Amino acid sequence: MSPLSLNKHTENEIIALCIKGDRTACRQLFSMYSGKMMSLCYRFSRDKSEAEDMLQEGFIRVFDKLDLYSGQGTLESWMRRVMINNALKYKQKYVTKYNYSEIENYHIYDPSPTIIDELSKEEIIRLVQTMPPGYKTVFNLYVIEGYSHKEIAQMLEIGESTSRSQLVKARTLLKEKLSKLIRLAG
Amino acid sequence: MKNFDEKIRDKLFDAEMPVSDDLWNYIDSQISNKKERPRYWLFFFVSLVLLPSFYLGYKVISDNTETSLIALIKNSEPDNYSNENSDNLNLSNLGNFKLQLSNLNKIGSIRSKSIERINNKKQGLSFQIITEKNNSIDEIVDNIPSKEYKNLKPLALLKSNNKGNLITTQENENLLFKYESLAGTPQCPSFSGKSNKLYAYLSGTANYPFQFLNDKGGENNLYIDSRKSTESGFLSFSFDAGLGYQLNDRLFIQAGIMYNQINMKFHLIEEGQTRNSVLISRDTILNSNGDIIKVDIDTFINQEVGIEETLTLNKFKQLDIPLSIGYRLPLSRRLNVSMSGGVVFNLKTMSTGTILDAKGETLDFGNNITDGPLYSTKVGLSYTGAIKLETEVYPDLFVNAGIDLRYYGGYFNSIDNPIDQKYLSIGLGTGLRYKF
C-alpha cells in the first residue's frame, strides 16, 4: 500500500496501534515506508548489506520512539529524520577509519543536466552511493533531504565551510561519474 | 547548478527499493525482545534495597496493631538448677521448647532466656515469651514438651505496649512478691537479654561515588577541568561479611572483610577528528606484451572531518577490612534503628580505565599498563557511617536496610601523579545479622 493512498485518519490509527504494540499495524507501517527508507539508507551506505542493517536499526528506533511523534508534519518526514540520524550514528559506530575505493580513469566533462533525465533512478542512486562517505553524506543531506549547511554542520559536528566544500567536491565527483557514463554510452 | 541539484532531488527523493521480508522478521523479533526484556541488573539492585525496606515497613505497621504478652516463667524448684551442669542442659533444650510453642500457635517465640542468679546462686530459668495471640501463661506452660520444664510455674504475666516496654500490672506485682519470697532475698527479677552476644553479619551496598580532584601544585586547573568534564560517577557496589559483638544491650562492635568497587564513567567526545578515504584512479591498458593490465594513474586522498567518541568504565577494585562501633536503639519490640561508624583499612586497590593526560590525550591506566603506575595499590583509611532499620525475621536472624556513607581519606593517585584524587560514596545498603 502506498502512503499516498492513506488518509490522515487511517495513518493515525495505525500509529496508535503500533504504539500499543500491535504487530500487524507495525508490519503495515513497515510495508508502507520500507521501500522509501531503504532507498534513503542505501544512499548513505557503502552497499546493500549495510543499507539493510541501517534500515533494521532505523525501524527499530522508529517503533521505539513512535510515541514521541507529535503529529506535526507528516509521518514520513519524521521517519526520514529518524532514519538519517540513525544512519549517521551507524556510520560513526561501524564504518572503518580508512576506506579504499577504485574509479576508472576519465576525462573531466561538464554534463548536460538532461543526462539526469535519461538515467534511471537506480543508476543515479548507484552513482551517489559509490561516492566517498563524506561526500555523499553532505550531498544526500543538502541536495536530496533539503537540510541547510548550518543544519548539516550541527548534525555532523563539522564547520559550515567544511560542509560547503564537501558539497562542491561531491557535485564535481558526481558530474565526473556522469561524464564517464556519457562517454561509455557515446 | 540549482537545476542539477533539483533534477537529482526529483529523481531520488521518492525513489523506492525492494526490501526483503527477512528484514521485517528481524525487526519484529527485536521489537518484542526490547519490550519484554527487563533490566535485570536494575531490578536486582532495586529489589535488594526495597524488599527489606518493605518488610521493615510492614513490621512497623504490624507491631503497632498487635497485642503481645510477655511472660516471665520461674522455676518453682530452684534447687534443680543449683549445679553448673544444668546451664547447658536447660539452655540447649530450649530449641525444642521454641519449636513446640511455634507449632501450637504459629507465631509464638522466645525472645530471651537466662539463668537467674540471686546472691550468686542459680535460682532458675527465666524466659520472655512473645505471642501475638492472647495465650494465657498456663496454655504456654502446658505445651512445654520437655520433662525438665514440667515443674516450671508461671510467676509473671506482663503485657507489653507496642514499643516492647512492659506495662506493670497488679498481677505482676503479686508475682514479683512471690518471687522474692521464693528467693528469700529482696531483689527484683529482670528481663536480661540473651547471654549470646556474638553475631555474624553479611551486607551489600549499591552506591554512587563522588570524585574530588585537587591540584597539588596549583598549576593544573585547566587539566582538572578537563578531567571533571570527562569523568562522572557510575553505579558502584560493595559487599562485606564479618563478626560482631554486643557490648551491652545497645552498643556493638564489628569487623570483617569487604570487597568494594568504585565505578567512574569516562566519556570523551573529540570534535574535528579527521579520517582519510583514498581514491585510486586506475586505467586499463595494453602493455608491450599485449596483455591487458590495470595501471594506477592518480591517487586522491579525501579527508573527512567528524567526531570520535571514547566511552570506558574506570574501576577501582578494593579489598578492605572494616571496623565499626554502633548503637542499636529499639523503636518497637521488633524494630531497631542502628547507627554505626568506623574506619576501613584498605588492603589492596586495583585500578583500570582511561583518563585524559595533561596534553588532552587519552591515557590508559591499570595493572597491566607498563608506562608507570598512575594510582596507588593501597589508599589508606576510609571512614564509614550508616543508619539502618533492623527487624527480626526469624529467631536470632535479623534483616536490615538503610543508608551507607563512606569517605575515602586516602588519595588514590600515586606520588608521581600531580592530581590528588579521592572519593565520597553514598548508597543504599541491606544485610543480614545472625546471633549465635
Side-chain angles (χ1 to χ4, degrees):
Chain A
M1 187 191 301
S2 163
L4 295 176
S5 66
L6 286 169
N7 61 38
K8 191 70 179 173
H9 179 67
T10 309
E11 191 171 83
N12 285 341
E13 282 181 348
I14 294 172
I15 292 168
L17 288 169
C18 288
I19 292 171
K20 288 178 182 174
D22 186 307
R23 295 299 160 72
T24 309
C26 291
R27 175 66 194 258
Q28 192 177 350
L29 201 67
F30 177 78
S31 301
M32 286 158 55
Y33 290 105
S34 59
K36 276 189 177 181
M37 298 306 138
M38 179 65 183
S39 170
L40 183 153
C41 291
Y42 188 66
R43 282 188 280 108
F44 281 88
S45 68
R46 286 180 299 190
D47 52 36
K48 192 179 175 189
S49 170
E50 191 175 275
E52 288 178 341
D53 285 348
M54 285 181 182
L55 185 75
Q56 285 177 329
E57 283 194 11
F59 262 105
I60 290 167
R61 198 169 177 80
V62 163
F63 288 125
D64 191 38
K65 306 287 182 191
L66 198 53
D67 54 337
L68 300 178
Y69 169 58
S70 62
Q72 290 182 337
T74 64
L75 177 65
E76 183 183 333
S77 300
W78 178 81
M79 202 180 284
R80 288 185 93 95
R81 281 201 302 276
V82 174
M83 286 287 173
I84 288 167
N85 287 332
N86 183 68
L88 297 179
K89 283 183 181 172
Y90 182 96
K91 295 184 83 63
Q92 286 174 6
K93 272 196 297 186
Y94 301 119
V95 173
T96 52
K97 201 160 188 175
Y98 296 96
N99 299 305
Y100 291 85
S101 59
E102 292 185 4
I103 56 174
E104 297 294 321
N105 193 28
Y106 46 78
H107 299 288
I108 294 174
Y109 176 84
D110 196 5
S112 163
T114 57
I115 185 67
I116 298 167
D117 298 328
E118 296 165 15
L119 293 173
S120 68
K121 289 180 179 178
E122 289 72 24
E123 285 172 319
I124 298 176
I125 288 174
R126 175 73 186 151
L127 285 178
V128 171
Q129 193 266 340
T130 54
M131 285 199 291
Y135 289 7
K136 70 182 170 194
T137 302
V138 173
F139 186 83
N140 278 323
L141 291 173
Y142 185 88
V143 175
I144 301 171
E145 302 299 334
Y147 288 90
S148 67
H149 283 300
K150 188 177 180 181
E151 289 171 320
I152 294 169
Q154 287 174 345
M155 291 168 78
L156 302 180
E157 298 186 351
I158 59 175
E160 283 186 52
S161 58
T162 307
S163 176
R164 286 196 178 86
S165 66
Q166 294 270 306
L167 179 64
V168 170
K169 289 174 185 173
R171 274 201 198 104
T172 306
L173 186 60
L174 190 60
K175 285 178 180 176
E176 287 171 353
K177 286 172 178 284
L178 287 167
S179 300
K180 179 174 180 292
L181 277 178
I182 292 167
R183 191 184 67 171
L184 290 173
Chain B
M1 193 61 66
K2 191 176 179 183
N3 198 20
F4 177 83
D5 286 357
E6 282 181 353
K7 281 182 176 294
I8 292 281
R9 185 176 194 278
D10 291 345
K11 276 273 186 181
L12 300 190
F13 188 78
D14 285 326
E16 295 191 30
M17 286 181 69
V19 176
S20 163
D21 280 347
D22 292 340
L23 294 183
W24 167 251
N25 295 334
Y26 175 78
I27 294 167
D28 190 31
S29 67
Q30 288 299 301
I31 295 171
S32 53
N33 283 344
K34 190 159 190 173
K35 294 204 169 177
E36 290 164 10
R37 188 174 56 223
R39 294 179 175 181
Y40 291 112
W41 62 269
L42 188 61
F43 181 75
F44 172 75
F45 278 113
V46 170
S47 303
L48 201 67
V49 173
L50 288 187
L51 284 180
S53 303
F54 285 144
Y55 185 79
L56 290 173
Y58 165 76
K59 280 296 174 189
V60 170
I61 294 168
S62 60
D63 273 2
N64 285 333
T65 55
E66 71 183 13
T67 301
S68 303
L69 292 176
I70 296 180
L72 168 64
I73 303 173
K74 191 74 180 174
N75 184 17
S76 59
E77 298 175 19
D79 291 343
N80 291 350
Y81 296 90
S82 59
N83 61 70
E84 293 291 334
N85 293 333
S86 63
D87 272 15
N88 295 333
L89 174 66
N90 292 313
L91 292 175
S92 62
N93 282 342
L94 284 173
N96 294 331
F97 179 87
K98 274 193 274 186
L99 178 65
Q100 187 66 20
L101 187 65
S102 177
N103 285 342
L104 283 171
N105 61 22
K106 307 294 185 191
I107 45 181
S109 64
I110 292 178
R111 291 299 299 273
S112 69
K113 55 185 184 285
S114 64
I115 302 289
E116 290 297 328
R117 294 170 185 271
I118 297 173
N119 288 342
N120 216 21
K121 287 185 178 179
K122 293 173 184 170
Q123 299 295 316
L125 289 169
S126 70
F127 309 98
Q128 289 182 40
I129 299 173
I130 311 299
T131 69
E132 293 179 3
K133 293 177 181 175
N134 287 329
N135 302 80
S136 72
I137 215 161
D138 287 334
E139 280 178 325
I140 296 169
V141 174
D142 286 346
N143 287 308
I144 296 174
S146 176
K147 287 182 180 177
E148 281 84 354
Y149 302 107
K150 280 299 179 189
N151 52 7
L152 289 178
K153 187 176 176 182
L155 290 186
L157 178 59
L158 310 177
K159 197 166 186 174
S160 71
N161 62 15
N162 60 10
K163 291 184 178 179
N165 298 324
L166 298 182
I167 301 168
T168 306
T169 64
Q170 185 62 36
E171 182 182 17
N172 176 36
E173 287 167 1
N174 289 338
L175 288 167
L176 289 178
F177 176 76
K178 283 170 68 178
Y179 178 88
E180 287 176 7
S181 300
L182 183 67
T185 306
Q187 291 185 22
C188 293
S190 62
F191 285 90
S192 53
K194 285 182 71 169
S195 58
N196 48 334
K197 295 180 175 179
L198 192 66
Y199 63 85
Y201 72 90
L202 182 69
S203 64
T205 303
N207 58 59
Y208 183 87
F210 297 89
Q211 181 172 262
F212 301 98
L213 300 174
N214 292 302
D215 186 4
K216 286 178 185 171
E219 298 172 350
N220 295 301
N221 289 333
L222 288 176
Y223 174 48
I224 287 179
D225 288 343
S226 69
R227 290 278 308 275
K228 286 179 178 174
S229 67
T230 53
E231 295 169 42
S232 58
F234 196 73
L235 182 65
S236 305
F237 60 89
S238 69
F239 296 104
D240 66 318
L243 296 173
Y245 187 78
Q246 200 74 39
L247 295 172
N248 58 37
D249 284 348
R250 295 187 173 183
L251 271 179
F252 64 90
I253 56 170
Q254 59 186 36
I257 188 89
M258 174 188 281
Y259 175 79
N260 180 57
Q261 184 169 320
I262 299 172
N263 293 325
M264 295 292 294
K265 187 171 70 174
F266 174 78
H267 190 196
L268 175 67
I269 296 175
E270 294 175 281
E271 298 180 2
Q273 297 298 298
T274 57
R275 66 179 178 191
N276 295 330
S277 301
V278 180
L279 285 141
I280 301 169
S281 297
R282 182 171 288 175
D283 209 354
T284 305
I285 61 170
L286 282 173
N287 66 8
S288 55
N289 297 326
D291 299 324
I292 298 173
I293 60 169
K294 289 190 173 183
V295 180
D296 291 354
I297 302 299
D298 193 15
T299 301
F300 175 69
I301 298 175
N302 173 48
Q303 190 172 69
E304 294 177 271
V305 181
I307 63 167
E308 186 171 339
E309 188 174 12
T310 308
L311 183 62
T312 57
L313 193 62
N314 295 348
K315 298 175 183 174
F316 300 92
K317 302 174 183 177
Q318 298 187 300
L319 198 59
D320 300 320
I321 293 182
L323 293 175
S324 63
I325 184 164
Y327 184 85
R328 277 192 196 93
L329 181 69
L331 296 179
S332 70
R333 186 164 48 74
R334 290 188 177 176
L335 192 67
N336 299 324
V337 59
S338 76
M339 293 153 284
S340 62
V343 293
V344 178
F345 298 94
N346 179 237
L347 295 177
K348 183 153 180 88
T349 297
M350 293 159 285
S351 313
T352 56
T354 305
I355 59 171
L356 283 183
D357 66 13
K359 295 175 184 173
E361 301 290 328
T362 56
L363 179 63
D364 293 335
F365 63 89
N367 298 333
N368 55 350
I369 307 294
T370 55
D371 293 340
L374 281 173
Y375 292 100
S376 173
T377 54
K378 285 189 175 67
V379 300
L381 278 181
S382 302
Y383 306 98
T384 59
I387 180 163
K388 293 183 177 178
L389 287 173
E390 182 186 71
T391 190
E392 188 173 17
V393 291
Y394 196 76
D396 299 333
L397 183 64
F398 299 81
V399 64
N400 58 59
I403 298 169
D404 279 303
L405 191 72
R406 178 169 175 178
Y407 176 70
Y408 297 79
Y411 293 115
F412 279 61
N413 52 288
S414 64
I415 295 173
D416 297 333
N417 186 336
I419 304 300
D420 284 342
Q421 183 170 335
K422 58 169 65 176
Y423 293 92
L424 167 72
S425 67
I426 300 173
L428 297 172
T430 185
L432 295 171
R433 183 168 70 90
Y434 180 74
K435 293 174 79 172
F436 292 116

